Amino acid sequence: ASELAQTPEQNVAPDHSKCPEKMAKTPQSSSKSCDSKKKEFVSTTPYRLRKRLAAPDPDLESESEYSASCSEEEEEEDQKEVSTVLSGQKTPAKTQAASTPPPRNSLAKKNKEQKMGNLVEEYFEAHSSSKVLTSDRTLQKLRKKRLNQQTLHDLLKNAPLAYAAEIRDLNQQHESLFSKWMLQLHLGFNIVLYGLGSKRDLLEKFRTSLLQDSVHLVVNGYFPSITVRSILNSITEEVLDHIGTFRSPLDQLEFIAKRFKEDSSLELYVLIHNLDSQMLRGERSQQILAQLSSLPSIYLIASIDHINAPLMWDQAKLSLYNWLWYETTTFNPYVEETSYENSLLVQQSGSLALSSLMHVLHSLTLNARGIFRLLAQHQLEKKDNPSYPGLSFQDFYQQCREAFLVNSDLTLRAQLTEFRDHKLIRTKRGADGVEYLLIPVDDSTLTDFLEKEDEHV
Amino acid sequence: AHDFRSTGDDSKDTELRFVTFQSLWNQIKSETEQIQEDLNKQLLDNLVSFLSRSHSEFQEKTTEWTCRMKFREIPTAALVLGVNVTDHDLTFRGLSDVLQDNITPYVALLEAKDCPGIKNLMQKLMGQLMNCDIDVDSLEDEDCVQVSQSRIRCSMSSLISWYESVTKKTDSETPSKKRNSSSRHWHSPPVVVIFKDMESFTTKVLQDFIVISSQHIHELPLVLIFGIATSPMIIHRLLPHSVSSLLCIELFQSLSCKEHLSTIIDKLLLTSRFPFKLGEKVLQVLINIFLYHDFSVQNFIKGFQLCVVEHFYSQPLSVLCCQLVDIKKRVYSLSHDQCENIRRLPSFRRYVEKQESGKQIELLTNDSFLKEETEKLLEDLHVYHENYVSILRCLHVFTSSLPKYPLGKQIRELHCACLENRVWETDEYESSLQLARMLNKTDLVTMLQQCVEILMSSSGKEFDKTVEKLKEFLTQFQNLEAEASQERDVSVSSQKELQKKTDLYHLQKTLLELKESRRSKKLTKFEMLRFEVVDYIDSLVRKYLIPADDRTLHEIVYFNAAAVLRGRLNAAPRTALHTALNNPHCYLKNQALKCDGGGISNKAPDICIVYKLHLECGRLINLVDWLEAFSTVVMAAEEPNADAASSDQVDDIIHARFIRAVSELELLGFIKPSKQKTDHVARLTWGGC
């Protein structure tokens, strides 16, 4: 463990050489014009990624603004402390612990204020410069391969869930509330569950234990292609047995409201997992769902997870929803909810994109493949340029002509249309009105693709 | 009803509880609706008279109308409703109902969210107007009206032709019908368009609509109503002068929501009509939500409803929370378990301890004796309420006129203060008594008169004596008046003396003398009387305004679970999340998770560790380093035994756990993937939650 804890520091070393010149431009350093030679920037450890300003000049009393102005020695001490703490089975206590000012001007009384101040400061410190100091290590350099969704799933299934007994206790507490929820739903309230942990199982249990005999609709909000329209459709088509389409969701909503008003025996329970998901959090969707939930014989019980989820609702929507909040912290892992997420660490989009690329390309003519190759190669050449806008159409045409791939810009355009239809390329019009072409695939996939192509040829 | 049953008592009681709850709630609900209606009545009346005025001019086609037509002004009512937008719906619904009953069948309610453009607005408007037309004369031949709205071109001219056809039809085609309808509406009723939330409309749409309709005002008697949440100034802010000059605006102000709340509290809480009461903390929570969050009376009522539900659901003895007449029957039908429940009430235990030993044993062992006692106590409680309310109102008469309002301006503040603890022990009460001792006579007399009125109208039986006493005070004051006139002569003469002496030294001397004499002088009769009055009021307060918590069996009718209420209505999801991540021990009761100070144990759930580590990072987080840190922490936590052979596999598992934790954090909104640097994520939160 100690070896692992040490590694980050070793890693810092190469960074040192680059950092100072980059950082000299930041407003902080230029305003603090003491002795520029003595200034040094340290620390890019993963433990404290904030940059520190080493100001050994004791006369400089403006440093209360920069509470974290310790000298380099202290810095190193800090780091050691952190690593020892780490190996001593403790995570470093708090950010503040590391960044409290040196002891000479620290007062115990002020500690709390400074904590607060530090938080604010941290924010501005982090946003003061456009450059961020982190190490340049990438996952690719790691000897481990990216896991794909399936192996990840398998691995996690084998890993034992920590504190299973306590979590079960916690869930049982929540389950005792079921009948209360039922009562409150019937009284015209709607219920929203919040708190850490997946509430899917809890809702599912609620459904199986109490809603078996009633009409209910389960909406998996976390599903990436869910829309309000599909929710409304399933109500009209499956609950109300209505065949036909509607011009707008509002019309559909009106229809639903009318039907429920006419037939007072009609009751519907709607369970929404993740009401705050990407697809449902929009203003219009929420408005429609709120209106839906305000119907007296539609009972809504939903869960939210995002920290800013309550911001979706203004007073008007809140009063339509008529929420009762229940804290149901379950500590259950979000298995289903995160499985659709495009995590950086999971290799899913890559393999998919690669195979689809190959597929489409193989069905094209040799010339078309050549055209695509040209574009791909060009893009890979420019991969170090973050503001690379794409290859302009004129340049591309020039290159294709030189490679004897097309004979007129019309043929090239026809070809590009085909690419675009298969979502192989994206065109963007730049500020100067020139059309730029880009392959919306990450570089590693593109490299893989070119390698495979080479094998093929 | 069956949902109540889970509390585990016998089903008869729960059923009864549910029925009691429902009847109580229905009562309360109808009461609140009545209040709302009464409060809005004036406003609606004003509006109706305004509309009929604007309309009659069109009817008669007088010269005034024609001259106005030249100016193309649309009669407009600006309705200032206050910031509690969510309550407006009810007002508007009432308004449109009243209008449809009295003035015109043609009322359209428009909301900004339906009208992003002028075209949508027209569509919505025509849809509503034509639908309501169909509703009104649904029995008539429908062929000409039943054109599907999508086929009509939505324009002002089609609207006008529709209007002409409709009015002509009621005029000529169905004379019998006409007589019917004209009893309610006139021949050519105005078309009322209500803009529910004027502020949220795009200015362009509003301007266009006003300009267009002003062109046609002589063909279509249009009246606009603007619902305004902020201030009437907004009209001029939204509309340029050229447009606003097309409107003939009259301003209407609705009752402020605070007054509305006061009436609600007055009618719901400060009355003995409803057996259910709110405890001090609960009331405070509800009022705070109102004052600091939404100003919405509807929400207040919703909170009140929740209180009622919670009380009847969680308190098995709430079956006794009923009207006085039912108490006897219900008490005697209590089961043994319920009797035990009563014995378990803290307030009852306190009561028992005060009794002599023989009675104690009886109370604790004999059910029927207990029932008798309970009935008596409940009746006492009821009487206490009646007295409490009356005396509270009397006290409010006094305190509400004192300078600086030491006990609050509103009766609800006084009510809270009295419920919280013994009000006479507080400093505020002390100072208000002192101030009351300095009141002048006329004020004092009017206050006493008000008190007499309050006490006379109250249903409490004990107040005969009190009223008599107060009346006695009043007559004494009147007697004083006669004496006072004599006294005045004296003081006048002394003043005359004062005026005579002009030089400074003497003046000073006399003033000092006067001061001396005043200090040493006995109190005047009036002052004596004033002291007596204040002392009497004080004694009333001490006798009747005992906080409810001190009463035996108060748990049965008082709802006190403020924490529950706050959790339901005013939840803090961020805080909950933060606590769960920072201090999992709060939720998972495991010794291993117990930690001191700010740090957390390395045995905490993965997501907590990952969260902690991410807090130490800046704006961007390198995933590799993060993973490294995570695995270091986790490895340290695990026993270092199987490090050689299966380390690769362990690595994979840790890797997988890390991935899961990170994607969970992403779901929770703490981080998001960043394109700025490869394999980095951006941190999204700063500072405490």
Side-chain angles (χ1 to χ4, degrees), chain A residues 28-41:
Chain A
Q28 278 195 12
S29 52
S30 55
S31 67
K32 261 200 174 184
S33 55
C34 43
D35 196 347
S36 62
K37 277 178 195 168
K38 279 187 182 175
K39 268 192 294 171
E40 272 185 58
F41 292 86

Side-chain angles (χ1 to χ4, degrees), chain A residues 222-263:
Chain A
Y222 50 81
F223 196 69
S225 64
I226 190 98
T227 57
V228 178
R229 194 178 264 275
S230 60
I231 298 174
L232 291 176
N233 277 342
S234 48
I235 293 178
T236 48
E237 280 162 23
E238 277 154 49
V239 180
L240 301 175
D241 288 326
H242 174 86
I243 305 155
T245 51
F246 295 88
R247 275 190 306 145
S248 73
L250 280 174
D251 282 348
Q252 202 162 1
L253 190 71
E254 241 163 69
F255 173 79
I256 293 170
K258 215 172 106 204
R259 283 291 296 274
F260 274 96
K261 206 187 261 174
E262 279 167 8
D263 188 355

